[in-house]
Amino acid sequence: MELDATDFCTDELKNKILPLKNRLRELEKERESAKNKAKLSIDNDDQGLADSKNDETTYAEELKKLIDPDLNKDIGANVSGLYDLCAVLTHIGRSAESGHYMGWVRKDNSDDWIQYDDDKVKIVSQEDIQKLDGGGDWHMAYILLYRSKKIA
């Protein structure tokens, strides 16, 4: 679950961000395809894991070369314009004066999320987070927190 902020950027900034953003998206598609192939493959050996680590190092070096020098100098700049959803605050109930608030936080390096409901904590799937769109007596996302997409 991603936010692409390039639509909100000036044309000058878009031109600085686009090469990295586009390549990052291509690599994500390649990773997803490789992950799907690995799931289908019965033969997951240690060599495949070593190749994957070498690929990640190569990708990181390639991506670093695509970072615009001006953006690289700007501490805190998001060099890709992409953000990942990392937490959600929801409300369930018919009005703001009544109901219940809950927090949902994404686990690092995982598609799993942690649901915080007072003292009850449990692991939920990404699909559960996508259902937080409100309506009737269901959870309404009130606050969405994003962090810069990790480049490598």
Side-chain angles (χ1 to χ4, degrees):
M1 292 177 281
E2 178 182 271
L3 171 66
D4 182 350
T6 54
D7 290 339
F8 307 113
C9 297
T10 64
D11 289 339
E12 178 185 1
L13 184 54
K14 280 182 190 178
N15 290 333
K16 292 179 178 183
I17 289 174
L18 283 177
L20 175 63
K21 181 187 106 170
N22 291 339
R23 183 61 181 136
L24 192 57
R25 288 248 168 100
E26 289 171 9
L27 290 175
E28 286 175 348
K29 286 179 185 176
E30 290 173 16
R31 284 182 188 138
E32 191 64 32
S33 177
K35 191 191 304 185
N36 290 338
K37 286 180 185 176
K39 284 180 184 177
L40 296 175
S41 174
I42 298 170
D43 214 10
N44 275 341
D45 59 5
D46 290 337
Q47 182 60 40
L49 292 174
D51 289 346
S52 175
K53 288 180 182 177
N54 289 337
D55 288 346
E56 290 301 316
T57 302
T58 303
Y59 293 152
E61 291 169 3
E62 176 188 350
L63 291 173
K64 286 179 183 175
K65 290 177 185 174
L66 292 173
I67 297 173
D68 182 88
D70 292 335
L71 293 177
N72 204 25
K73 287 186 238 173
D74 185 356
I75 297 172
N78 180 332
V79 296
S80 70
L82 300 173
Y83 295 84
D84 287 322
L85 183 64
C86 61
V88 179
L89 177 67
T90 64
H91 178 263
I92 186 168
R94 294 188 183 233
S95 74
E97 290 82 35
S98 66
H100 185 66
Y101 290 91
M102 293 174 55
W104 315 71
V105 179
R106 186 176 182 174
K107 290 176 70 177
D108 279 342
N109 303 317
S110 173
D111 285 337
D112 290 333
W113 287 69
I114 304 169
Q115 174 190 337
Y116 295 94
D117 180 4
D118 293 332
D119 62 344
K120 295 176 226 74
V121 178
K122 69 178 184 177
I123 304 295
V124 297
S125 69
Q126 185 167 306
E127 289 77 27
D128 293 325
I129 302 304
Q130 292 170 330
K131 295 175 187 173
L132 301 176
D133 58 0
D137 290 324
W138 190 238
H139 292 272
M140 169 66 76
Y142 265 32
I143 299 174
L144 304 175
L145 301 174
Y146 289 86
R147 69 174 145 225
S148 295
K149 187 173 235 14
K150 293 179 183 174
I151 301 302

